[in-house]
Amino acid sequence: MTEPRPRIAVVFTGGTIESLGRDRLDLAWYIEHGVRLSTAEVVERLPELEQLADVVEIPFRKLPSHALTDADWLELVDLVHETLEPDDTDGIVITHGTNTLEETAYFLHLTLKTEKPVVLVGSMRPASAVSADGDLNVLKAVLTAAAPAARAKGVLVVLNDTIFSARDVTKTSTYRVQSFQARDLGPLGYADSDLRVVVYHTPARPHTTATEFDVRGRSDLPRVDVVTSYVGADGAMIDAAVTAGAKGIVSAGTGAGRPTPLEDEALARATGQGVAVCIASRIGSGRTVRSPGMIARGRIGADNLPAWKARILLSLGLTVTSDPDELQRFFDTY
């Protein structure tokens, strides 16, 4: 008896993967051209999808990834839950602009309550380009979502044949097709050229169904701002974030997380006003550890999360508690 093909839902949210440039060499300014493929046109380009799965298109509004807000994420969470609830749907692929793909992936990684595969995919070159990468990336993402090996691994990111955990992956280059990397921990596996999904590692930290974060029914999230340190930085940005209503601040400090002296004073003022302060690094690799001085001042160490992912975890943590030690436990756990 022939096994039924996997049923994979695909949500198209926009980005480079659907963009068309002015010509085949427009690899940089295609966004300004403002022309996109429709969802139907993207699917028509990929008749090979029928060999991999029964693909169902799920509508969602098209947005540049740098235009997303927390409200979009909350709506996407609800859409994914609704889509994956039927037993006959085996997984979901979400196309996404690469600028903030890693942030959406990590937010979903922490908040979705499903063990079914959820795969985010994008492209580094527009659909009109010479040697465009988007078509094959979508095929490999669907292949991954249909694979039993992808189940219960949390949210995955697939580009350039490579499978990453949402927690670990980051964009490392503005235009290169190998841009997505997991600098400290490497990929989980590959959607390889023989159309096999090969997984060599599994995420060690809890995700999806094992997290303490459930945002279903929420209409907003606590505001958390990121402030980057540099030579001569004062506390103006930190004070402005507090004035704007931030419940948390992530300081992307120098080296292993050092803010300037004036930033340090502003962070102390923020803590005095009940704002949670997380110390991250602007470097992009390695841990930011919670020193005895940080413990005494109620500050949180970001572990090896970049500042923009620390922002996500701090915001979700603040939906549960404002206690610095409990918030630190989240960073040590997730």
Side-chain angles (χ1 to χ4, degrees), residues 23-296:
D23 54 48
R24 281 162 41 94
L25 291 179
D26 183 0
L27 303 177
W29 301 292
Y30 50 89
I31 294 295
E32 297 177 6
H33 187 43
V35 179
R36 297 180 178 279
L37 294 171
S38 68
T39 296
E41 288 173 322
V42 175
V43 174
E44 286 170 5
R45 290 165 61 99
L46 296 169
E48 297 84 1
L49 285 172
E50 294 183 0
Q51 300 176 37
L52 307 179
D54 289 328
V55 172
V56 180
E57 301 159 37
I58 305 297
F60 193 77
R61 60 184 168 277
K62 305 295 183 69
L63 287 169
S65 67
H66 51 271
L68 291 170
T69 67
D70 291 350
D72 297 309
W73 281 350
L74 292 169
E75 187 173 337
L76 189 57
V77 166
D78 290 340
L79 177 65
V80 173
H81 282 136
E82 179 184 336
T83 301
L84 292 180
E85 186 175 351
D87 290 338
D88 63 350
T89 302
D90 298 295
I92 190 167
V93 169
I94 302 169
T95 69
H96 199 289
T98 59
N99 285 350
T100 63
L101 186 151
E102 65 201 77
E103 291 166 76
T104 297
Y106 187 49
F107 181 79
L108 297 176
H109 188 71
L110 292 173
T111 57
L112 289 178
K113 302 306 173 190
T114 182
E115 292 190 347
K116 293 181 179 180
V118 177
V119 179
L120 270 71
V121 63
S123 70
M124 295 301 297
R125 294 172 180 164
S128 54
V130 174
S131 195
D133 56 324
D135 288 354
L136 187 58
N137 282 350
V138 171
L139 289 169
K140 293 298 183 73
V142 170
L143 181 72
T144 302
R151 188 177 177 88
K153 301 295 191 299
V155 174
L156 303 174
V157 171
V158 174
L159 284 95
N160 202 31
D161 296 351
T162 311
I163 303 169
F164 297 98
S165 170
R167 184 193 182 278
D168 306 327
V169 70
T170 192
K171 186 176 182 178
T172 66
S173 179
T174 53
Y175 294 117
R176 307 292 174 255
V177 294
Q178 74 275 19
S179 174
F180 280 76
Q181 305 287 335
R183 285 169 165 156
D184 288 342
L185 301 168
L188 300 182
Y190 300 92
D192 229 334
S193 297
D194 59 354
L195 300 185
R196 285 188 60 208
V197 172
V198 187
V199 176
Y200 294 99
H201 309 285
T202 58
R205 296 200 169 193
H207 52 74
T208 54
T209 59
T211 76
E212 299 156 74
F213 313 118
D214 192 342
V215 298
R216 288 173 290 188
R218 293 190 67 96
S219 59
D220 59 16
L221 296 168
R223 176 172 179 151
V224 175
D225 288 313
V226 176
V227 177
T228 302
S229 190
Y230 51 89
V231 170
D234 60 19
M237 297 299 181
I238 295 165
D239 292 335
V242 174
T243 300
K247 304 302 180 185
I249 293 173
V250 177
S251 169
T254 62
R258 298 293 182 185
T260 68
L262 291 178
E263 285 180 313
D264 200 45
E265 292 174 8
L267 291 171
R269 290 194 295 272
T271 301
Q273 296 181 58
V275 177
V277 171
C278 176
I279 303 298
S281 172
R282 69 181 193 178
I283 288 178
S285 180
R287 293 172 62 224
T288 303
V289 300
R290 197 185 194 201
S291 68
M294 287 170 59
I295 295 172

